[in-house]
Structures are given as structure tokens and as C-alpha cells.
Amino acid sequence: MRLFAKFFLITILGWKIDGFFPKHLKKYVIIAAPHTHWQDFPLGILVKWIQQTPINYIGKASLFKPPFGFIFRWLGGTPVNRSESTNKVEAIVNVFNVNENFILALSPEGTRKRIDEWKTGFYYIALKANVPIVPVAFDYGKKEVKVGNPFPVTGNYDEDMKLILPFYKGVKGKNPERGFEV
């Protein structure tokens, strides 16, 4: 898959990847932004294959039903029932706790619609699971996927975000009018 993904993303589509997922870490949370189009998902899958990193994601439970649900699981997905009022942060932290290796990619926006601020679940998952955050930016303006360095969260959300958000400055999503502006 790696060679196919590399040929398709880099040679055919003309994208580049700046940075690498940390190989020395067994667990972390990836925050991929901006999330403005359905194409962000296959873009992320191609990068995952190119860098040969076992990245997981969560998705709405309806995606995992037959006949195509097995594909989403094969791609690293775990279903989440968004209609229930369950504590998703605690449930995901438990997944980190019971696995020796677990890398989770999330969109901090939580949607492809225009928002004024990011949801905070990604942060509290990282904090409670005691894992770092790795920022990833999908920059359609430059046709570049940027992978940042691991960021250890401190428990002070506002101060940590002052250090994380600049990574996304100037990044343009597929539909910039829908993205959160840094």
C-alpha cells in the first residue's frame, strides 16, 4: 500500500509531506485540521500508508454497518454512537489504557461546518491518557501535509493552545470558508 499511496499522493496529485509521525512513541493523539471536506479522510489514509503508521480514528457508528463497514474498520476505524450521551472522552481514554500501542487521529473541529472554536475533547483525551498531541495540517493551498512535533499537554488548556494553534497559521483547507481561522 505504501508504494501505491506514495505514487498516487505525490506523483499523481502533486502533494508533499513535511515531517514524520514519531516512531519512538507508542501512543499519542493526532489533531488533523482544518477539516473542511470529505477529501481530508482519504488524504489522511494515504499519509498513514506512506509513513507506515498504525493510525486509528473514530467515526459515526452508521459508517460501520454492512455492506461497507468492514472497510472503515480495515482503515483503522472504531465506531462511536454519537446519539447516546456517553462520556466519549473517558471511553477513548480507556482504549488508550488497555492498548500497548494506540495512535488516534481526530479533527478538533468535530465537523466540516464553519465553527468559531475547536472542541476540547482531543485535549482532554490526551491529558487523561497521559499522551502527547501531534499536530497535523492539511494545507490545500500549498498541497502539503504538515506533521508537527509531539506536544506534551500540561493541563492548562488556554496556555497550551497558545503554543499549538500557531502551527495552523496560514493553512488553507479544501473549503477555506468552513475552516476555523487561527
Side-chain angles (χ1 to χ4, degrees):
M1 282 304 202
R2 181 178 191 270
L3 292 177
F4 163 77
K6 194 171 185 179
F7 175 75
F8 188 72
L9 182 68
I10 296 168
T11 306
I12 301 293
L13 298 179
W15 280 72
K16 60 186 172 210
I17 302 171
D18 179 14
F20 296 92
F21 292 112
K23 298 292 186 195
H24 67 286
L25 295 175
K26 294 181 177 186
K27 299 180 183 184
Y28 51 93
V29 172
I30 294 169
I31 50 173
H35 180 39
T36 64
H37 197 275
W38 66 266
Q39 290 178 4
D40 300 338
F41 177 75
L43 179 60
I45 295 296
L46 291 171
V47 173
K48 162 186 165 159
W49 287 342
I50 291 169
Q51 294 212 357
Q52 297 180 307
T53 305
I55 298 170
N56 303 281
Y57 65 92
I58 55 173
K60 58 185 176 180
S62 61
L63 293 174
F64 295 86
K65 293 181 179 176
F68 301 110
F70 75 94
I71 295 171
F72 290 103
R73 288 182 200 281
W74 174 70
L75 293 172
T78 300
V80 172
N81 188 344
R82 298 191 306 187
S83 64
E84 293 178 7
S85 60
T86 57
N87 188 335
K88 291 175 188 63
V89 169
E90 289 300 326
I92 295 169
V93 168
N94 187 49
V95 173
F96 272 98
N97 290 338
V98 299
N99 286 286
E100 187 176 328
N101 299 296
F102 192 72
I103 300 166
L104 177 65
L106 297 169
S107 165
E109 293 146 317
T111 182
R112 292 184 309 267
K113 296 177 184 168
R114 176 85 177 142
I115 58 160
D116 293 323
E117 60 185 38
W118 282 355
K119 293 186 174 198
T120 59
F122 74 91
Y123 184 85
Y124 292 103
I125 290 167
L127 180 66
K128 291 179 179 189
N130 196 27
V131 299
I133 290 172
V134 173
V136 173
F138 296 141
D139 192 338
Y140 284 80
K142 295 179 181 173
K143 289 184 114 176
E144 176 180 70
V145 176
K146 289 187 344 179
V147 180
N149 294 321
F151 180 87
V153 296
T154 66
N156 186 332
Y157 177 81
D158 293 330
E159 291 302 311
D160 286 351
M161 291 310 291
K162 287 178 186 175
L163 298 172
I164 292 171
L165 284 175
F167 179 82
Y168 298 93
K169 185 98 171 127
V171 173
K172 292 188 179 180
K174 175 82 171 162
N175 293 318
E177 69 280 0
R178 292 186 190 166
F180 171 75
E181 292 203 22
V182 177

